[in-house]
Amino acid sequence: MSYIRLNKHYIHQHFVVLGAVETCLLIGVAWVAQHLQLLLLDASPGWSLSLGELAPLLLFAFILSCCTLSMGVYIALVREGYASMVLRTLVSFFLLGSLSLYFVNLLAGGDFIDRSLVFWGVLAATFVVFCVRALFLGFVDTANLRRRVLVFGAGQRAQALLTELEAGSSRLGVRVVGCVASAGDEIKVAAHLVRTEPSDWVDYVKREQISEIVIAPDESRRQSQGAGLPVNELLDCKVAGVGSTDVLSFCERELNRIDVDMLRPSWLLFSDGFKNSKRHLFIKRAFDLVVSLLFLAVLWPFMLLTAIAVKLESPGSVLYSQERVGLNGRVFKIYKFRSMRQDAEKAGQAVWAQKNDARVTRVGAFIRNTRLDELPQLYNVIMGHMSFVGPRPERPQFVEQLIEEIPFYSTRHKVKPGLMGWAQLKYPYGASVEDAKNKLEYDLYYAKNKSFFMDMLILVQTVEIILLGKGVH
């Protein structure tokens, strides 16, 4: 397999060809959409194309192509399947693409890109790329697009990595070619994966078509200082185009979570991420306020009907509040429509919610499935206690227990909690310490890699969670 290096990333040649074909088609689609609009207006379309008319078409194709790359559409096509690609394309074209075209047009004076082109062009482009990608999957064996990875290490950490990759193999574009045992490793991986250390690393990675080397030896003091690693050989491979990645960063990138068992304080401090720029905080807060007020304006009739239904079914208050732990460990009160009996915690102690919890009323079950019980938390978002997207806040009693039992649990409080989060998309409802640990791995991934685009993706994917009632207890 051959790869092209672009902005420090290696892209398979099939994706380069697909991207080039799509860009050309986008230019053609924009041209046809623009002239069809003139035909509908009974105007002469003038099918010739001047240089001045070509510029907005090129810009249209360039912006939609950039949006496609920003949403990881091509990688999702192999790792996650056609359905995920469709969702990402809709977000990249209709949200990012349309907004980008609108703002570019605004900056250019309002008529550089015809408004009809933004609507009809994006609509037609979406249909065309769906067809092209379906043909791509039909003619190209995606198994051959999986990146071939060599693991340096054959002990406990290497086996843990293999287990994680196997569990997520349905959506990963990775194939582990073998594991090279490092000095001092007690072999834990399957015998057929064990490889002897090559005498010529560069020749080996080229011959085996390796695209990446994952460093995963069992840690010792000597190894943590670099002893036992073939540093010069790995550098030679890097110069030849085959880079090395530490096992934790590899898991983060491929599994979209941060493995707590492998996590070390030094990695948290020195890895890229966990940053809050003033620009990002301003955009996030402005988005939270605008969307919250918009939701209140649209959803207040449903909130009123929910309140009436809760009151009619069982005695007690319509709303209830609980203390939750927010940003930097600050405790605040969260508000919900009551979905349980009034005496759900008559002993006065916090209790984990369970599947088919008997304390939940009939109305409560419905408003939980539809997430109507969460709507009063719009108040928390407006007041700044929460954001729309972020780790779900936990109760102080649970937090105290989880901090004692789960390493780095308090790190999730470095970002503002939210109405919806990455962990809610990737992991079912948590009702135990082990579930909390697994969800923490996704919360840490969000805290490290948060961005406005990621927030948009979570918002769109949450629609599926609500419609299908996933993760509800």
Side-chain angles (χ1 to χ4, degrees), residues 8-42:
K8 299 183 180 180
H9 294 283
Y10 294 92
I11 303 176
H12 195 281
Q13 64 180 3
H14 285 91
F15 289 138
V16 176
V17 173
L18 176 62
V21 169
E22 285 189 1
T23 300
C24 293
L25 287 174
L26 288 175
I27 296 172
V29 163
W31 181 66
V32 171
Q34 193 173 53
H35 287 77
L36 283 178
Q37 177 68 12
L38 292 173
L39 283 175
L40 292 174
L41 295 174
D42 295 326

PDB file of all heavy atoms in Angstrom, residues 8-42:
ATOM      1  N   LYS A   8       1.514  16.285   8.176  1.00  0.00           N
ATOM      2  CA  LYS A   8       1.978  15.343   9.200  1.00  0.00           C
ATOM      3  C   LYS A   8       1.097  14.103   9.327  1.00  0.00           C
ATOM      4  O   LYS A   8       1.232  13.340  10.278  1.00  0.00           O
ATOM      5  CB  LYS A   8       2.093  16.033  10.567  1.00  0.00           C
ATOM      6  CG  LYS A   8       3.085  17.182  10.596  1.00  0.00           C
ATOM      7  CD  LYS A   8       3.200  17.781  11.991  1.00  0.00           C
ATOM      8  CE  LYS A   8       4.191  18.933  11.991  1.00  0.00           C
ATOM      9  NZ  LYS A   8       4.324  19.536  13.335  1.00  0.00           N
ATOM     10  N   HIS A   9       0.182  13.925   8.383  1.00  0.00           N
ATOM     11  CA  HIS A   9      -0.669  12.743   8.403  1.00  0.00           C
ATOM     12  C   HIS A   9      -0.421  11.928   7.141  1.00  0.00           C
ATOM     13  O   HIS A   9      -0.111  12.464   6.079  1.00  0.00           O
ATOM     14  CB  HIS A   9      -2.153  13.134   8.485  1.00  0.00           C
ATOM     15  CG  HIS A   9      -2.513  13.806   9.767  1.00  0.00           C
ATOM     16  ND1 HIS A   9      -2.694  13.127  10.945  1.00  0.00           N
ATOM     17  CD2 HIS A   9      -2.719  15.109  10.062  1.00  0.00           C
ATOM     18  CE1 HIS A   9      -3.008  13.974  11.907  1.00  0.00           C
ATOM     19  NE2 HIS A   9      -3.027  15.177  11.398  1.00  0.00           N
ATOM     20  N   TYR A  10      -0.593  10.603   7.271  1.00  0.00           N
ATOM     21  CA  TYR A  10      -0.421   9.715   6.130  1.00  0.00           C
ATOM     22  C   TYR A  10      -1.790   9.303   5.614  1.00  0.00           C
ATOM     23  O   TYR A  10      -2.611   8.778   6.355  1.00  0.00           O
ATOM     24  CB  TYR A  10       0.403   8.482   6.526  1.00  0.00           C
ATOM     25  CG  TYR A  10       1.828   8.842   6.894  1.00  0.00           C
ATOM     26  CD1 TYR A  10       2.172   9.123   8.214  1.00  0.00           C
ATOM     27  CD2 TYR A  10       2.804   8.936   5.912  1.00  0.00           C
ATOM     28  CE1 TYR A  10       3.472   9.479   8.539  1.00  0.00           C
ATOM     29  CE2 TYR A  10       4.104   9.280   6.231  1.00  0.00           C
ATOM     30  CZ  TYR A  10       4.434   9.559   7.551  1.00  0.00           C
ATOM     31  OH  TYR A  10       5.716   9.916   7.872  1.00  0.00           O
ATOM     32  N   ILE A  11      -2.016   9.575   4.336  1.00  0.00           N
ATOM     33  CA  ILE A  11      -3.310   9.313   3.723  1.00  0.00           C
ATOM     34  C   ILE A  11      -3.128   8.275   2.632  1.00  0.00           C
ATOM     35  O   ILE A  11      -2.245   8.392   1.783  1.00  0.00           O
ATOM     36  CB  ILE A  11      -3.918  10.595   3.133  1.00  0.00           C
ATOM     37  CG1 ILE A  11      -4.041  11.662   4.230  1.00  0.00           C
ATOM     38  CG2 ILE A  11      -5.272  10.320   2.502  1.00  0.00           C
ATOM     39  CD1 ILE A  11      -4.531  12.992   3.719  1.00  0.00           C
ATOM     40  N   HIS A  12      -3.970   7.261   2.642  1.00  0.00           N
ATOM     41  CA  HIS A  12      -3.893   6.220   1.631  1.00  0.00           C
ATOM     42  C   HIS A  12      -4.228   6.798   0.266  1.00  0.00           C
ATOM     43  O   HIS A  12      -5.086   7.661   0.124  1.00  0.00           O
ATOM     44  CB  HIS A  12      -4.864   5.085   1.989  1.00  0.00           C
ATOM     45  CG  HIS A  12      -4.609   3.830   1.223  1.00  0.00           C
ATOM     46  ND1 HIS A  12      -5.034   3.668  -0.072  1.00  0.00           N
ATOM     47  CD2 HIS A  12      -3.963   2.691   1.560  1.00  0.00           C
ATOM     48  CE1 HIS A  12      -4.671   2.479  -0.507  1.00  0.00           C
ATOM     49  NE2 HIS A  12      -4.023   1.865   0.466  1.00  0.00           N
ATOM     50  N   GLN A  13      -3.534   6.304  -0.762  1.00  0.00           N
ATOM     51  CA  GLN A  13      -3.715   6.846  -2.106  1.00  0.00           C
ATOM     52  C   GLN A  13      -5.156   6.721  -2.605  1.00  0.00           C
ATOM     53  O   GLN A  13      -5.627   7.547  -3.389  1.00  0.00           O
ATOM     54  CB  GLN A  13      -2.770   6.148  -3.083  1.00  0.00           C
ATOM     55  CG  GLN A  13      -3.026   4.656  -3.254  1.00  0.00           C
ATOM     56  CD  GLN A  13      -2.064   4.015  -4.234  1.00  0.00           C
ATOM     57  OE1 GLN A  13      -1.171   4.682  -4.746  1.00  0.00           O
ATOM     58  NE2 GLN A  13      -2.249   2.734  -4.492  1.00  0.00           N
ATOM     59  N   HIS A  14      -5.878   5.685  -2.151  1.00  0.00           N
ATOM     60  CA  HIS A  14      -7.269   5.544  -2.561  1.00  0.00           C
ATOM     61  C   HIS A  14      -8.107   6.729  -2.084  1.00  0.00           C
ATOM     62  O   HIS A  14      -9.004   7.198  -2.790  1.00  0.00           O
ATOM     63  CB  HIS A  14      -7.869   4.243  -2.011  1.00  0.00           C
ATOM     64  CG  HIS A  14      -7.400   3.020  -2.728  1.00  0.00           C
ATOM     65  ND1 HIS A  14      -6.303   2.304  -2.330  1.00  0.00           N
ATOM     66  CD2 HIS A  14      -7.874   2.396  -3.833  1.00  0.00           C
ATOM     67  CE1 HIS A  14      -6.125   1.278  -3.146  1.00  0.00           C
ATOM     68  NE2 HIS A  14      -7.063   1.299  -4.062  1.00  0.00           N
ATOM     69  N   PHE A  15      -7.810   7.226  -0.868  1.00  0.00           N
ATOM     70  CA  PHE A  15      -8.543   8.380  -0.355  1.00  0.00           C
ATOM     71  C   PHE A  15      -8.173   9.643  -1.123  1.00  0.00           C
ATOM     72  O   PHE A  15      -9.009  10.529  -1.313  1.00  0.00           O
ATOM     73  CB  PHE A  15      -8.260   8.575   1.134  1.00  0.00           C
ATOM     74  CG  PHE A  15      -8.890   7.536   2.003  1.00  0.00           C
ATOM     75  CD1 PHE A  15      -8.195   6.975   3.066  1.00  0.00           C
ATOM     76  CD2 PHE A  15     -10.177   7.107   1.780  1.00  0.00           C
ATOM     77  CE1 PHE A  15      -8.775   6.018   3.878  1.00  0.00           C
ATOM     78  CE2 PHE A  15     -10.775   6.151   2.581  1.00  0.00           C
ATOM     79  CZ  PHE A  15     -10.063   5.605   3.632  1.00  0.00           C
ATOM     80  N   VAL A  16      -6.899   9.737  -1.537  1.00  0.00           N
ATOM     81  CA  VAL A  16      -6.473  10.897  -2.330  1.00  0.00           C
ATOM     82  C   VAL A  16      -7.224  10.924  -3.656  1.00  0.00           C
ATOM     83  O   VAL A  16      -7.724  11.968  -4.089  1.00  0.00           O
ATOM     84  CB  VAL A  16      -4.944  10.852  -2.568  1.00  0.00           C
ATOM     85  CG1 VAL A  16      -4.518  12.005  -3.478  1.00  0.00           C
ATOM     86  CG2 VAL A  16      -4.199  10.914  -1.250  1.00  0.00           C
ATOM     87  N   VAL A  17      -7.324   9.769  -4.295  1.00  0.00           N
ATOM     88  CA  VAL A  17      -8.056   9.677  -5.564  1.00  0.00           C
ATOM     89  C   VAL A  17      -9.537  10.003  -5.349  1.00  0.00           C
ATOM     90  O   VAL A  17     -10.141  10.763  -6.120  1.00  0.00           O
ATOM     91  CB  VAL A  17      -7.896   8.270  -6.179  1.00  0.00           C
ATOM     92  CG1 VAL A  17      -8.795   8.119  -7.407  1.00  0.00           C
ATOM     93  CG2 VAL A  17      -6.442   8.015  -6.555  1.00  0.00           C
ATOM     94  N   LEU A  18     -10.129   9.438  -4.293  1.00  0.00           N
ATOM     95  CA  LEU A  18     -11.538   9.705  -3.995  1.00  0.00           C
ATOM     96  C   LEU A  18     -11.765  11.183  -3.751  1.00  0.00           C
ATOM     97  O   LEU A  18     -12.732  11.775  -4.258  1.00  0.00           O
ATOM     98  CB  LEU A  18     -11.980   8.894  -2.769  1.00  0.00           C
ATOM     99  CG  LEU A  18     -13.413   9.127  -2.271  1.00  0.00           C
ATOM    100  CD1 LEU A  18     -14.425   8.746  -3.344  1.00  0.00           C
ATOM    101  CD2 LEU A  18     -13.673   8.325  -0.986  1.00  0.00           C
ATOM    102  N   GLY A  19     -10.876  11.822  -2.977  1.00  0.00           N
ATOM    103  CA  GLY A  19     -11.009  13.250  -2.703  1.00  0.00           C
ATOM    104  C   GLY A  19     -10.885  14.093  -3.956  1.00  0.00           C
ATOM    105  O   GLY A  19     -11.626  15.065  -4.150  1.00  0.00           O
ATOM    106  N   ALA A  20      -9.939  13.723  -4.854  1.00  0.00           N
ATOM    107  CA  ALA A  20      -9.767  14.466  -6.100  1.00  0.00           C
ATOM    108  C   ALA A  20     -10.989  14.336  -6.999  1.00  0.00           C
ATOM    109  O   ALA A  20     -11.457  15.320  -7.599  1.00  0.00           O
ATOM    110  CB  ALA A  20      -8.510  13.965  -6.819  1.00  0.00           C
ATOM    111  N   VAL A  21     -11.529  13.110  -7.097  1.00  0.00           N
ATOM    112  CA  VAL A  21     -12.725  12.878  -7.913  1.00  0.00           C
ATOM    113  C   VAL A  21     -13.901  13.679  -7.364  1.00  0.00           C
ATOM    114  O   VAL A  21     -14.650  14.331  -8.126  1.00  0.00           O
ATOM    115  CB  VAL A  21     -13.070  11.374  -7.964  1.00  0.00           C
ATOM    116  CG1 VAL A  21     -14.439  11.158  -8.575  1.00  0.00           C
ATOM    117  CG2 VAL A  21     -12.010  10.614  -8.757  1.00  0.00           C
ATOM    118  N   GLU A  22     -14.064  13.652  -6.047  1.00  0.00           N
ATOM    119  CA  GLU A  22     -15.185  14.379  -5.443  1.00  0.00           C
ATOM    120  C   GLU A  22     -15.054  15.882  -5.656  1.00  0.00           C
ATOM    121  O   GLU A  22     -16.050  16.573  -5.907  1.00  0.00           O
ATOM    122  CB  GLU A  22     -15.273  14.054  -3.952  1.00  0.00           C
ATOM    123  CG  GLU A  22     -15.839  12.676  -3.668  1.00  0.00           C
ATOM    124  CD  GLU A  22     -16.120  12.469  -2.189  1.00  0.00           C
ATOM    125  OE1 GLU A  22     -15.882  13.408  -1.405  1.00  0.00           O
ATOM    126  OE2 GLU A  22     -16.582  11.376  -1.831  1.00  0.00           O
ATOM    127  N   THR A  23     -13.831  16.417  -5.567  1.00  0.00           N
ATOM    128  CA  THR A  23     -13.632  17.848  -5.756  1.00  0.00           C
ATOM    129  C   THR A  23     -14.025  18.261  -7.171  1.00  0.00           C
ATOM    130  O   THR A  23     -14.699  19.282  -7.375  1.00  0.00           O
ATOM    131  CB  THR A  23     -12.167  18.222  -5.493  1.00  0.00           C
ATOM    132  OG1 THR A  23     -11.816  17.875  -4.154  1.00  0.00           O
ATOM    133  CG2 THR A  23     -11.947  19.722  -5.677  1.00  0.00           C
ATOM    134  N   CYS A  24     -13.619  17.464  -8.152  1.00  0.00           N
ATOM    135  CA  CYS A  24     -14.001  17.749  -9.542  1.00  0.00           C
ATOM    136  C   CYS A  24     -15.518  17.679  -9.717  1.00  0.00           C
ATOM    137  O   CYS A  24     -16.122  18.524 -10.398  1.00  0.00           O
ATOM    138  CB  CYS A  24     -13.314  16.762 -10.484  1.00  0.00           C
ATOM    139  SG  CYS A  24     -11.512  16.954 -10.559  1.00  0.00           S
ATOM    140  N   LEU A  25     -16.130  16.678  -9.104  1.00  0.00           N
ATOM    141  CA  LEU A  25     -17.581  16.545  -9.198  1.00  0.00           C
ATOM    142  C   LEU A  25     -18.295  17.704  -8.514  1.00  0.00           C
ATOM    143  O   LEU A  25     -19.343  18.165  -8.988  1.00  0.00           O
ATOM    144  CB  LEU A  25     -18.024  15.217  -8.582  1.00  0.00           C
ATOM    145  CG  LEU A  25     -17.699  13.957  -9.399  1.00  0.00           C
ATOM    146  CD1 LEU A  25     -18.052  12.707  -8.609  1.00  0.00           C
ATOM    147  CD2 LEU A  25     -18.459  13.964 -10.727  1.00  0.00           C
ATOM    148  N   LEU A  26     -17.739  18.187  -7.415  1.00  0.00           N
ATOM    149  CA  LEU A  26     -18.354  19.320  -6.711  1.00  0.00           C
ATOM    150  C   LEU A  26     -18.336  20.572  -7.582  1.00  0.00           C
ATOM    151  O   LEU A  26     -19.289  21.362  -7.568  1.00  0.00           O
ATOM    152  CB  LEU A  26     -17.620  19.578  -5.390  1.00  0.00           C
ATOM    153  CG  LEU A  26     -17.833  18.550  -4.276  1.00  0.00           C
ATOM    154  CD1 LEU A  26     -16.952  18.857  -3.074  1.00  0.00           C
ATOM    155  CD2 LEU A  26     -19.287  18.497  -3.849  1.00  0.00           C
ATOM    156  N   ILE A  27     -17.243  20.755  -8.322  1.00  0.00           N
ATOM    157  CA  ILE A  27     -17.187  21.897  -9.247  1.00  0.00           C
ATOM    158  C   ILE A  27     -18.276  21.752 -10.314  1.00  0.00           C
ATOM    159  O   ILE A  27     -19.002  22.705 -10.627  1.00  0.00           O
ATOM    160  CB  ILE A  27     -15.796  21.988  -9.898  1.00  0.00           C
ATOM    161  CG1 ILE A  27     -14.725  22.279  -8.833  1.00  0.00           C
ATOM    162  CG2 ILE A  27     -15.774  23.087 -10.961  1.00  0.00           C
ATOM    163  CD1 ILE A  27     -13.308  22.203  -9.352  1.00  0.00           C
ATOM    164  N   GLY A  28     -18.406  20.531 -10.862  1.00  0.00           N
ATOM    165  CA  GLY A  28     -19.433  20.288 -11.869  1.00  0.00           C
ATOM    166  C   GLY A  28     -20.829  20.457 -11.322  1.00  0.00           C
ATOM    167  O   GLY A  28     -21.708  21.043 -11.981  1.00  0.00           O
ATOM    168  N   VAL A  29     -21.058  19.961 -10.115  1.00  0.00           N
ATOM    169  CA  VAL A  29     -22.376  20.090  -9.480  1.00  0.00           C
ATOM    170  C   VAL A  29     -22.730  21.558  -9.273  1.00  0.00           C
ATOM    171  O   VAL A  29     -23.865  21.986  -9.527  1.00  0.00           O
ATOM    172  CB  VAL A  29     -22.391  19.328  -8.127  1.00  0.00           C
ATOM    173  CG1 VAL A  29     -23.573  19.773  -7.274  1.00  0.00           C
ATOM    174  CG2 VAL A  29     -22.449  17.828  -8.362  1.00  0.00           C
ATOM    175  N   ALA A  30     -21.755  22.348  -8.806  1.00  0.00           N
ATOM    176  CA  ALA A  30     -22.002  23.777  -8.576  1.00  0.00           C
ATOM    177  C   ALA A  30     -22.349  24.481  -9.879  1.00  0.00           C
ATOM    178  O   ALA A  30     -23.261  25.320  -9.927  1.00  0.00           O
ATOM    179  CB  ALA A  30     -20.765  24.410  -7.940  1.00  0.00           C
ATOM    180  N   TRP A  31     -21.650  24.122 -10.945  1.00  0.00           N
ATOM    181  CA  TRP A  31     -21.915  24.743 -12.249  1.00  0.00           C
ATOM    182  C   TRP A  31     -23.312  24.398 -12.754  1.00  0.00           C
ATOM    183  O   TRP A  31     -24.067  25.263 -13.195  1.00  0.00           O
ATOM    184  CB  TRP A  31     -20.844  24.260 -13.235  1.00  0.00           C
ATOM    185  CG  TRP A  31     -20.979  24.840 -14.604  1.00  0.00           C
ATOM    186  CD1 TRP A  31     -20.823  26.161 -14.970  1.00  0.00           C
ATOM    187  CD2 TRP A  31     -21.288  24.128 -15.801  1.00  0.00           C
ATOM    188  NE1 TRP A  31     -21.022  26.306 -16.324  1.00  0.00           N
ATOM    189  CE2 TRP A  31     -21.308  25.067 -16.866  1.00  0.00           C
ATOM    190  CE3 TRP A  31     -21.542  22.796 -16.093  1.00  0.00           C
ATOM    191  CZ2 TRP A  31     -21.581  24.714 -18.178  1.00  0.00           C
ATOM    192  CZ3 TRP A  31     -21.804  22.434 -17.415  1.00  0.00           C
ATOM    193  CH2 TRP A  31     -21.825  23.377 -18.432  1.00  0.00           C
ATOM    194  N   VAL A  32     -23.678  23.114 -12.659  1.00  0.00           N
ATOM    195  CA  VAL A  32     -25.005  22.679 -13.113  1.00  0.00           C
ATOM    196  C   VAL A  32     -26.098  23.320 -12.261  1.00  0.00           C
ATOM    197  O   VAL A  32     -27.117  23.804 -12.783  1.00  0.00           O
ATOM    198  CB  VAL A  32     -25.114  21.140 -13.055  1.00  0.00           C
ATOM    199  CG1 VAL A  32     -26.547  20.695 -13.316  1.00  0.00           C
ATOM    200  CG2 VAL A  32     -24.170  20.502 -14.070  1.00  0.00           C
ATOM    201  N   ALA A  33     -25.899  23.339 -10.918  1.00  0.00           N
ATOM    202  CA  ALA A  33     -26.912  23.914 -10.020  1.00  0.00           C
ATOM    203  C   ALA A  33     -27.133  25.392 -10.327  1.00  0.00           C
ATOM    204  O   ALA A  33     -28.269  25.878 -10.319  1.00  0.00           O
ATOM    205  CB  ALA A  33     -26.471  23.732  -8.569  1.00  0.00           C
ATOM    206  N   GLN A  34     -26.060  26.096 -10.612  1.00  0.00           N
ATOM    207  CA  GLN A  34     -26.169  27.520 -10.900  1.00  0.00           C
ATOM    208  C   GLN A  34     -26.964  27.768 -12.190  1.00  0.00           C
ATOM    209  O   GLN A  34     -27.809  28.660 -12.249  1.00  0.00           O
ATOM    210  CB  GLN A  34     -24.762  28.114 -11.019  1.00  0.00           C
ATOM    211  CG  GLN A  34     -24.703  29.616 -11.007  1.00  0.00           C
ATOM    212  CD  GLN A  34     -23.277  30.116 -10.959  1.00  0.00           C
ATOM    213  OE1 GLN A  34     -22.445  29.735 -11.776  1.00  0.00           O
ATOM    214  NE2 GLN A  34     -22.965  30.963  -9.998  1.00  0.00           N
ATOM    215  N   HIS A  35     -26.729  26.957 -13.207  1.00  0.00           N
ATOM    216  CA  HIS A  35     -27.407  27.159 -14.477  1.00  0.00           C
ATOM    217  C   HIS A  35     -28.838  26.632 -14.462  1.00  0.00           C
ATOM    218  O   HIS A  35     -29.707  27.167 -15.150  1.00  0.00           O
ATOM    219  CB  HIS A  35     -26.597  26.502 -15.600  1.00  0.00           C
ATOM    220  CG  HIS A  35     -25.350  27.265 -15.943  1.00  0.00           C
ATOM    221  ND1 HIS A  35     -24.219  27.223 -15.168  1.00  0.00           N
ATOM    222  CD2 HIS A  35     -25.084  28.114 -16.967  1.00  0.00           C
ATOM    223  CE1 HIS A  35     -23.287  27.990 -15.701  1.00  0.00           C
ATOM    224  NE2 HIS A  35     -23.783  28.553 -16.790  1.00  0.00           N
ATOM    225  N   LEU A  36     -29.102  25.581 -13.694  1.00  0.00           N
ATOM    226  CA  LEU A  36     -30.479  25.094 -13.577  1.00  0.00           C
ATOM    227  C   LEU A  36     -31.368  26.132 -12.913  1.00  0.00           C
ATOM    228  O   LEU A  36     -32.547  26.271 -13.246  1.00  0.00           O
ATOM    229  CB  LEU A  36     -30.512  23.786 -12.779  1.00  0.00           C
ATOM    230  CG  LEU A  36     -30.075  22.529 -13.524  1.00  0.00           C
ATOM    231  CD1 LEU A  36     -30.123  21.316 -12.596  1.00  0.00           C
ATOM    232  CD2 LEU A  36     -30.953  22.287 -14.754  1.00  0.00           C
ATOM    233  N   GLN A  37     -30.822  26.869 -11.972  1.00  0.00           N
ATOM    234  CA  GLN A  37     -31.582  27.935 -11.324  1.00  0.00           C
ATOM    235  C   GLN A  37     -31.996  28.995 -12.339  1.00  0.00           C
ATOM    236  O   GLN A  37     -33.120  29.501 -12.324  1.00  0.00           O
ATOM    237  CB  GLN A  37     -30.742  28.569 -10.204  1.00  0.00           C
ATOM    238  CG  GLN A  37     -31.396  29.743  -9.486  1.00  0.00           C
ATOM    239  CD  GLN A  37     -32.599  29.324  -8.661  1.00  0.00           C
ATOM    240  OE1 GLN A  37     -32.824  28.134  -8.431  1.00  0.00           O
ATOM    241  NE2 GLN A  37     -33.378  30.282  -8.215  1.00  0.00           N
ATOM    242  N   LEU A  38     -31.084  29.313 -13.267  1.00  0.00           N
ATOM    243  CA  LEU A  38     -31.413  30.290 -14.302  1.00  0.00           C
ATOM    244  C   LEU A  38     -32.506  29.751 -15.227  1.00  0.00           C
ATOM    245  O   LEU A  38     -33.380  30.493 -15.682  1.00  0.00           O
ATOM    246  CB  LEU A  38     -30.151  30.639 -15.107  1.00  0.00           C
ATOM    247  CG  LEU A  38     -29.075  31.427 -14.346  1.00  0.00           C
ATOM    248  CD1 LEU A  38     -27.819  31.559 -15.195  1.00  0.00           C
ATOM    249  CD2 LEU A  38     -29.601  32.802 -13.943  1.00  0.00           C
ATOM    250  N   LEU A  39     -32.440  28.446 -15.517  1.00  0.00           N
ATOM    251  CA  LEU A  39     -33.470  27.834 -16.364  1.00  0.00           C
ATOM    252  C   LEU A  39     -34.842  27.911 -15.707  1.00  0.00           C
ATOM    253  O   LEU A  39     -35.858  28.163 -16.362  1.00  0.00           O
ATOM    254  CB  LEU A  39     -33.109  26.383 -16.661  1.00  0.00           C
ATOM    255  CG  LEU A  39     -32.019  26.141 -17.721  1.00  0.00           C
ATOM    256  CD1 LEU A  39     -31.696  24.655 -17.810  1.00  0.00           C
ATOM    257  CD2 LEU A  39     -32.473  26.660 -19.084  1.00  0.00           C
ATOM    258  N   LEU A  40     -34.893  27.668 -14.386  1.00  0.00           N
ATOM    259  CA  LEU A  40     -36.156  27.728 -13.664  1.00  0.00           C
ATOM    260  C   LEU A  40     -36.744  29.137 -13.680  1.00  0.00           C
ATOM    261  O   LEU A  40     -37.956  29.330 -13.587  1.00  0.00           O
ATOM    262  CB  LEU A  40     -35.961  27.258 -12.221  1.00  0.00           C
ATOM    263  CG  LEU A  40     -35.637  25.764 -12.033  1.00  0.00           C
ATOM    264  CD1 LEU A  40     -35.321  25.470 -10.578  1.00  0.00           C
ATOM    265  CD2 LEU A  40     -36.813  24.906 -12.505  1.00  0.00           C
ATOM    266  N   LEU A  41     -35.879  30.124 -13.781  1.00  0.00           N
ATOM    267  CA  LEU A  41     -36.329  31.519 -13.831  1.00  0.00           C
ATOM    268  C   LEU A  41     -36.593  31.977 -15.265  1.00  0.00           C
ATOM    269  O   LEU A  41     -36.792  33.160 -15.517  1.00  0.00           O
ATOM    270  CB  LEU A  41     -35.268  32.423 -13.181  1.00  0.00           C
ATOM    271  CG  LEU A  41     -35.028  32.200 -11.679  1.00  0.00           C
ATOM    272  CD1 LEU A  41     -33.861  33.054 -11.200  1.00  0.00           C
ATOM    273  CD2 LEU A  41     -36.275  32.533 -10.879  1.00  0.00           C
ATOM    274  N   ASP A  42     -36.550  30.995 -16.215  1.00  0.00           N
ATOM    275  CA  ASP A  42     -36.792  31.292 -17.635  1.00  0.00           C
ATOM    276  C   ASP A  42     -35.763  32.273 -18.191  1.00  0.00           C
ATOM    277  O   ASP A  42     -36.048  33.096 -19.072  1.00  0.00           O
ATOM    278  CB  ASP A  42     -38.201  31.866 -17.855  1.00  0.00           C
ATOM    279  CG  ASP A  42     -39.274  30.843 -17.528  1.00  0.00           C
ATOM    280  OD1 ASP A  42     -39.037  29.640 -17.767  1.00  0.00           O
ATOM    281  OD2 ASP A  42     -40.331  31.250 -17.029  1.00  0.00           O
TER     282      ASP A  42
END
